[in-house]
Each structure stands twice: as C-alpha cells, then as structure tokens.
Amino acid sequence: MSGAQGGDLNRNPPRPDRLDHAEGASVPLRSHVREAQPRGAVINGNHPIDQAEAAERFIAAPEHERMHDARLWDLRQKRDRQMHGIAEWEDLRRLASEIKEHALTHLDHYLEQFEANARANGIHVHWAQDADEHNAIILSLLRDHSVKRLIKSKSMLTEECGFRDFMAESGIEVVETDLGERIQQLDDEAPSHVVVPAVHKLRSDVAAVFARTLGTDPDDDDVHYLTEQQREKTRPLILDAQAGLTGANFVVAETGTFVVCTNEGNADLSANTPSLQIASIGIEKVIPRLEDLPVFVRLLSRSALGSPITQYTSHFRGPRRGGELHVVLVDNGRSERLGMEQFWTSLKCIRCGACMNTCPVFRRSGGLSYGATYAGPIGLIIDPTFNRHRYSSLPFSSTLNGSCTNVCPVRINIHEQIAGWRKVLAETHELPLMKKVMMREAGHLLSHPALYRAAIATADSALKHLPRFMVYNRLNTWGHGREVPAPPRQTFHEWYAKNRPTGQGEPT
Amino acid sequence: MRIGLFVPCYIDAFHPEVGVATLELLERFGLDVAYPRDQTCCGQPMTNTGCHAESAATEELFVRNFTGYDYIVAPSGSCVHHVRCDMDAVEQTDDVRQVRARTYELVEFLHDILKVDAFPWAEFPHRVSLHNNCNALRGLNHASMSELREPAFSKPADLLSKVRGLEFVHISRPDECCGFGGTFSVFEKGVSEKMGYDKVRDHSSAGAEYVVSADSSCMMHQQGCAQRLEMPLKFIHIAQILNGARA
C-alpha cells in the first residue's frame, strides 16, 4: 500500500479479513518511506501559538501528513458506518445532549449526591480547585503511602494539570499503561489526540523512540516486535508499582460510582494492580443516573473509533479488599467556563475525538501543531478558556465548515463557538494589530460604494484590492500555492450598466 | 414579484459571467429583477475574522440596498448564509429582519420558491463533479450531510438532473471542505492549499471534466490549486449551466 493515496481508501470497502472494530484500521495503512517526524508548535513563553507555522511543517513531511489524514479519515468512515447501523442515532445524540445540559445546570446537586454516595461506598472524595491543588492532593496521598512508582492510564485532565512533569520533579516515577500514551511519554511529547495519542507518528518513529529509550533494534519497525518489546520492558514496572491512577469517562451520581472505558484494558491494570487506586475526574463528567449511562456508552466508541463499544467498560464501585480508592474531583476552570453564556456547552464534551477525526485542518496539521492540551475543533473552543492570549490564534485555525458540529455525539455547536471566540478575541484586543487594521479598512471601503467602485475600477486595481481586503494579506500569499484568478474584461457592474441601461436598481 | 439581485464582490470583479447568468436565468422565468447599483458586500469578510463592529456599516448598506424587494437572490451560498444566519452586527430593525429572511441563494430559490421542474434550454454534455460549499451544505441545507443520519437529498443535484446530457461523477469525500474558508485561505495558506490540492485530485480521479458549484469563492480557490498542479480540470457555476451554457 506504500503508494496509496488517502483517497483510494474511500473506494475500498472494509476487507473481511481485517479486524474491523476497536482501534484497528479498516484497510491496511503503511508507509515504507523513512521520514523525520515533524514536531509540534513552537512554545515561546506566553506568546500566541502559531498553529499555521507548525501545520506547514507537518505538511512538509508528506508521509506523515498522508498517513495521519488516511488513518483519521478511516476512523471517520468507520464512525459513519456505525451511525448507519443505529436507526435512532440522531435521537441518541439529542438525548445525550439533554442529559448533559441537565447535569451541567444542576452540577452542584449531582456532585454532592455523587460525593455522599461514593463515601458510602467507601471511596475517599477530594476536591481540587485547580491543577496545583490536584497535583498536591495526589502527591500527599502518594507520600502517605510511601509510593515511589505510580502507574497511570490515559487522562486528558492530568495533561491539563502538567501532572507527569510535576511528579518527576517530586521524585515519583510515573509509568503510562496505554501503549500510545507510553510511546508519547518515552518521546517526551504530549498526546496529539484525545483517543489515539500517538496517531501522528509512523511506525518508524516509534521504532526510533523505542531504540533510544528501550534499546530495541532501530531498523525493526514491525508492530508485533515493537509492541512485545514495550510490553516486556514495561510489565515489570507495572507489576510492582505501589499506586495506580486513572481518569474517568463518566461519574454516576445516584450510585456514587465511576466508569472508565479503554480498549487495551490498561485502566484495569492501573486500577487493580496496586492497592492504592486514585481517579482524577473533571467535575463535568457527572451524569445523574445509571440508566443515563447506556446512552453515552452507545455513542462514545462509535463516535470515537467506529467500534460499537470499547473493549473494556469498567465500573468502579469502591476500594478493593484491603485497598484504598480515592477520587479527586477537579474544577480547573470548569466553573468559570460554566458561567460563559456562549461557551458553557463545551462542557458537554465526552472526549471522543470525533471532531478531530473529521476536521480537515486537524488531519493535515497534526494535534501537536495546536500547542495546547486540547487540539482540533474542541480544543479551539476550550483552550482560550485556559489562556486567552496564548491561544488567541487557535480559533482561526478552522474553515468554519461545521463538520465537527455534525459528528459531535453531544451536539456541541463547535463551529459556531469557534466563530464566537473570534468575536470575543477581537473585542478584547487579542487580534494581531495588522489584522484588525485591515478589517477596519475593509469595513470602510465596503460601506462606501463610491470608494469601493474606484478600488475595483480596473482589472489591475481589483486584483490588487480585492484579495487584499477580502483576505487581508498580500496577493503573493494567495499566489504561494495557487494561481491568481484571471483579470476580468469588465465587472458585472459595468456589464449591467451597458446591457440593462434602463434597469432602475430600485424596488418599486 | 420583485427580485433584488445581489452579486457578491468576488463575482462582480472576477466572475461577472456568473452574475450575468444568474440575471438572465431569473429573467427567463419572467421575473422582475433589479440590481441595486450601490451594493458592495454582505459583511462576511469582517465577521468571519471576528470583527463584527467593522462589519456593521457594510451590513447596514446591504439592508439599505435591498429593503423592499420580495426576494433577494444571490449566486453564493456563503454570502447568503452570512446574511440569513450571521448578520448580527447591524441593529435588528424590522427592515433588517425582513431583508435577512427574504434573502435566498439561487439554488434554493429555484428549488424551493420557484419549484422549477424543467430547464428546456439547458444542455451540458459533460462529466461533472458537484462541489457543495460548506455554508450552503451545512448552513442552508442544500443537501443531506454525510455526518448525519438523514434521508439523502440534494437540491443542486435535483436541478442539474434536469439538464440534458449532464453526467455526474462522485468523489470519495463529497462533504470535505476544500480549504477556502474566507480569510482562512491566507491566514493558514499551507493547510488551505493542501486541502485544495486534495480536493481537486479527488475531482480529477473521479473522472470529472467540470467542477460545478453554487459558490464562486470555493471554485476560485480550487481553480487556483488545479492550475498550479497543471490539471485540465474546468470550473463552472451552476447558474451558467442552468442558464444554458454548453461548456
């Protein structure tokens, strides 16, 4: 398949001999070309992230870009096939959205209900206002139990909290149990996608990382070899870890329990191997009743990976015999977001990543180009709530095409919120001055018909002005990779004056 | 029925033939069509960039130009989407609300309002690939969307199916954005170009001679990409085909 374009994929039905579920691709995808892995956005203090620059470097690595696009488009197509298998799909999405909106608008009630029921189940419940508190609570638990090594499963919340770095500074070894996340940890990179964290890497990249960190053969990029080597090296670390940490996909208020969904079973490894179990959970994860849960379980993996359900859907009800179970409920900006009239529904997000898989910009940029915890469409509307200045350019990394909104299982109006953020950023002076000035000039020109007519009076001046005010930048930006439109002989306006001389142009 | 013809600035300056085809097509149905001379733009470029305040005067001018018509028709899904769904910088007076509600994109006007069942003058003996602008598709419901579980339909394809000789080809990612995205095409030129290249390759490998769309802006971008890749792909607005263009 080395020469296959992503487009070929679409005309091939799924092969019957392939495992068409879970995390598998429905067609073989493989690159035989070695190419250096493009790295993510340049982080420069609190300066706005330049996503476009990082995206151009990703595109300049054609094998990476092609595989990334094909892999994620395959997930989108698998998702579509699952959707067509469920007659009540759109009703499910509506119901999921309504349950989440209800829970979020009664958040205090359901969180307290969860806390009381969890305590009754023997779970220790902690509350963390922000990332620092979250990290401090867990560190103190680990120190109380003399923990030297913590194993953990994938959790975006811990990424928000800079948890791995904090633990490293505190002298506690953290070992990721999710394969993709482990690859990212060994490469000292953040996850590039909320569900498939190493999807931006080719297998040759993984071979290079493992050769460097695990001592494997750098020229052997066979997936079975690489997976087995990693497993052999990591299993001993897992088996004698003293504490395990997971996130949670859903928290059920009425039962005081929580649910973790994985395909590798690694959350169960994290939760059940050591006697001390900790779960870091964002407060927006709560749903009222157990009977609400199936609505989300049916939507989650179908939206994320196009599989009917994750391989493991684990319910945690209390501590193991002789063990301890701690839950840390984390706010970290969520309450503030809940108060934002235009943006609060972003808290409905169940982190399925469907918006990333369908996003044509994400597929061609790689998740690390966003330089933020959350990449892709959902990231564009969440990241500015953490740091409006640093992430001020991200809402512009979208064509506002709206596909993200359509695939969202909880019906977040993502593309409308992206547009909403652009307005907020313009109003709070977070737009580059040049952009703002050009828009002011364009607004002036376009609201004065005589000026406008003069500006586009000749073909030459139209070419000079039109792209310039329409798209703000110089013509050579348009012409970088595209031909400029041929100059017209006359504008429509001129044609009309000649050909419909009696046209009144006014309603009667 | 008094129709106000809105010819967006791109079309006015770069594709006047699309404005002409739209006017002639509406006149074929015996409609009284006027072109208000002082029109410029709908305000979308500024709003698209977040600069709503900078868009207000342009939106006000638009409403002044088009107040009083029974319908306002434009050959651009993107601009009509702005007028109908996003024109919120200007104060929402009765005139503004009325103009916004009466503004139609050409395809939906022909399909939903005029309910045209034949274009006897139209013949286009070519293989065409239909490109739906994202605002027309997902904002104006021009067609069913591949992301949703809904019955299949397509207003532009319905109209084109009444044209003699026209043969559709189908691309592998029909609803994928082509990467124009207004100001995006310049702010993110790398991604925009790559999306455009992928789109025109998709048209080309499906065997299209022509790409047809209800939006000139997407096609200007795609045409620029196709020419850069030296592809023999041709582009034509749906108004031109429906008005009887043969090539």
Side-chain angles (χ1 to χ4, degrees), chain B residues 220-233:
Chain B
M220 187 169 106
H221 164 69
Q222 291 181 40
Q223 186 161 22
C225 291
Q227 285 172 352
R228 179 57 56 94
L229 296 176
E230 299 182 346
M231 283 181 177
L233 210 52

Side-chain angles (χ1 to χ4, degrees), chain B:
Chain B
M1 196 192 282
R2 234 0 220 152
I3 311 290
L5 176 65
F6 168 38
V7 177
C9 50
Y10 267 107
I11 293 174
D12 178 36
F14 294 121
H15 296 286
E17 69 281 4
V18 173
V20 174
T22 305
L23 176 65
E24 289 178 352
L25 181 58
L26 293 172
E27 287 172 345
R28 282 179 189 270
F29 295 106
L31 300 169
D32 182 8
V33 186
Y35 166 77
R37 307 290 179 94
D38 278 351
Q39 62 179 286
T40 57
C41 164
C42 62
Q44 185 178 206
M46 287 76 78
T47 301
N48 185 280
T49 315
C51 298
H52 291 237
E54 287 73 7
S55 176
T58 304
E59 293 182 355
E60 217 177 285
L61 175 67
F62 182 91
V63 172
R64 255 199 329 269
N65 276 314
F66 288 104
T67 297
Y69 289 101
D70 298 314
Y71 291 99
I72 297 111
V73 178
S76 164
S78 169
C79 303
V80 168
H81 177 260
H82 175 77
V83 173
R84 199 185 298 160
C85 307
D86 289 333
M87 190 183 258
D88 59 4
V90 64
E91 194 196 331
Q92 301 297 299
T93 61
D94 287 348
D95 279 352
V96 171
R97 275 195 293 270
Q98 197 166 66
V99 163
R100 291 181 62 182
R102 290 177 177 187
T103 301
Y104 282 78
E105 186 281 323
L106 177 66
V107 166
E108 50 178 14
F109 185 71
L110 296 171
H111 189 278
D112 300 345
I113 304 299
L114 294 187
K115 302 186 197 308
V116 176
D117 54 15
F119 299 90
W121 50 80
E123 182 174 0
F124 199 72
H126 302 284
R127 288 188 309 278
V128 307
S129 178
L130 176 62
H131 173 73
N132 287 318
N133 163 282
C134 294
N135 286 325
L137 176 71
R138 299 191 186 88
L140 300 179
N141 284 329
H142 259 199
S144 52
M145 299 165 251
S146 59
E147 302 96 352
L148 299 181
R149 201 179 195 289
E150 60 179 351
F153 70 94
S154 170
K155 295 175 189 178
D158 266 6
L159 298 180
L160 289 170
S161 68
K162 303 178 200 311
V163 174
R164 275 194 314 282
L166 185 143
E167 183 192 339
F168 285 110
V169 301
H170 299 282
I171 62 175
S172 66
R173 301 185 187 187
D175 291 354
E176 176 100 321
C177 175
C178 71
F180 174 64
T183 52
F184 176 87
S185 61
V186 166
F187 297 145
E188 290 244 8
K189 68 170 164 40
V191 177
S192 173
E193 287 161 10
K194 184 63 172 67
M195 286 167 66
Y197 295 159
D198 289 351
K199 176 58 80 175
V200 296
R201 284 187 183 116
D202 204 353
H203 290 307
S204 182
S205 54
E209 290 171 70
Y210 280 88
V211 177
V212 58
S213 175
D215 269 83
S216 292
S217 51
C218 297
M219 287 202 292
M220 187 169 106
H221 164 69
Q222 291 181 40
Q223 186 161 22
C225 291
Q227 285 172 352
R228 179 57 56 94
L229 296 176
E230 299 182 346
M231 283 181 177
L233 210 52
K234 289 174 277 195
F235 293 81
I236 190 165
H237 195 280
I238 191 168
Q240 295 169 271
I241 294 182
L242 297 180
N243 189 45
R246 296 288 192 273

Side-chain angles (χ1 to χ4, degrees), chain A residues 391-407:
Chain A
Y391 304 123
S392 58
S393 72
L394 292 188
F396 294 90
S397 296
S398 164
T399 62
L400 303 179
N401 64 75
S403 185
C404 47
T405 297
N406 280 353
V407 297

Side-chain angles (χ1 to χ4, degrees), chain A residues 10 30 92 115 128-129 144 247 258 285 306 327 366 372 379 405 490 505:
Chain A
N10 307 295
R30 177 155 196 193
L92 271 180
E115 182 185 27
Q129 182 76 47
D144 286 351
F258 62 95
K285 298 286 186 190
V327 162
T405 297
Q490 62 184 351

Side-chain angles (χ1 to χ4, degrees), chain A residues 239-496:
Chain A
L239 290 177
D240 69 355
Q242 299 91 35
L245 181 111
T246 71
N249 294 89
F250 307 101
V251 166
V252 184
E254 79 171 351
T255 54
T257 61
F258 62 95
V259 177
V260 184
C261 305
T262 73
N263 282 310
E264 296 169 39
N266 58 299
D268 305 87
L269 212 54
S270 303
N272 296 320
T273 313
S275 58
L276 173 61
Q277 181 191 354
I278 305 168
S280 294
I281 305 176
I283 55 172
E284 83 284 14
K285 298 286 186 190
V286 71
I287 56 174
R289 302 164 304 181
L290 194 59
E291 70 177 78
D292 300 325
L293 184 65
V295 174
F296 296 96
V297 171
R298 293 183 76 195
L299 286 166
L300 178 64
S301 196
R302 287 189 169 93
S303 298
L305 297 164
S307 67
I309 192 167
T310 46
Q311 306 277 23
Y312 298 84
T313 302
S314 304
H315 297 245
F316 294 97
R317 307 172 54 85
R320 291 157 57 202
R321 197 172 299 135
E324 279 181 33
L325 174 52
H326 295 258
V327 162
V328 187
L329 292 169
V330 187
D331 187 308
N332 203 35
R334 285 159 175 75
S335 293
E336 196 191 336
R337 207 178 302 151
L338 192 57
M340 302 173 95
E341 198 182 340
Q342 256 191 297
F343 306 117
W344 70 275
T345 57
S346 63
L347 286 163
K348 292 191 289 184
C349 176
I350 59 171
R351 307 286 190 260
C352 70
C355 62
M356 301 175 181
N357 302 343
T358 201
C359 178
V361 178
F362 181 91
R363 271 188 266 112
R364 289 164 181 89
S365 307
L368 298 177
S369 68
Y370 296 78
T373 300
Y374 297 101
I378 189 69
L380 305 187
I381 61 175
I382 292 181
D383 296 325
T385 67
F386 290 109
N387 187 331
R388 190 171 292 188
H389 183 63
R390 190 182 202 180
Y391 304 123
S392 58
S393 72
L394 292 188
F396 294 90
S397 296
S398 164
T399 62
L400 303 179
N401 64 75
S403 185
C404 47
T405 297
N406 280 353
V407 297
C408 179
V410 289
R411 291 171 59 95
I412 302 170
N413 58 337
I414 303 176
H415 74 296
E416 291 172 3
Q417 293 193 33
I418 295 172
W421 268 109
R422 292 183 182 183
K423 185 177 181 212
V424 168
L425 292 163
E427 285 169 354
T428 54
H429 312 291
E430 291 288 359
L431 248 52
L433 184 63
M434 177 78 159
K435 214 185 243 188
K436 187 84 180 172
V437 167
M438 292 306 292
M439 286 304 137
R440 200 175 298 144
E441 285 177 6
H444 184 70
L445 194 66
L446 291 170
S447 55
H448 293 84
L451 286 180
Y452 166 78
R453 281 292 143 207
I456 66 159
T458 67
D460 280 353
S461 72
L463 275 174
K464 202 167 84 199
H465 281 92
L466 258 191
R468 198 176 160 83
F469 75 67
M470 290 302 298
V471 296
Y472 138 87
N473 216 313
R474 288 183 220 295
L475 194 56
N476 63 4
T477 307
W478 175 271
H480 170 266
R482 290 164 288 222
E483 299 303 316
V484 296
R489 291 180 301 278
Q490 62 184 351
T491 64
F492 175 80
H493 195 81
E494 290 160 347
W495 178 93
Y496 190 83

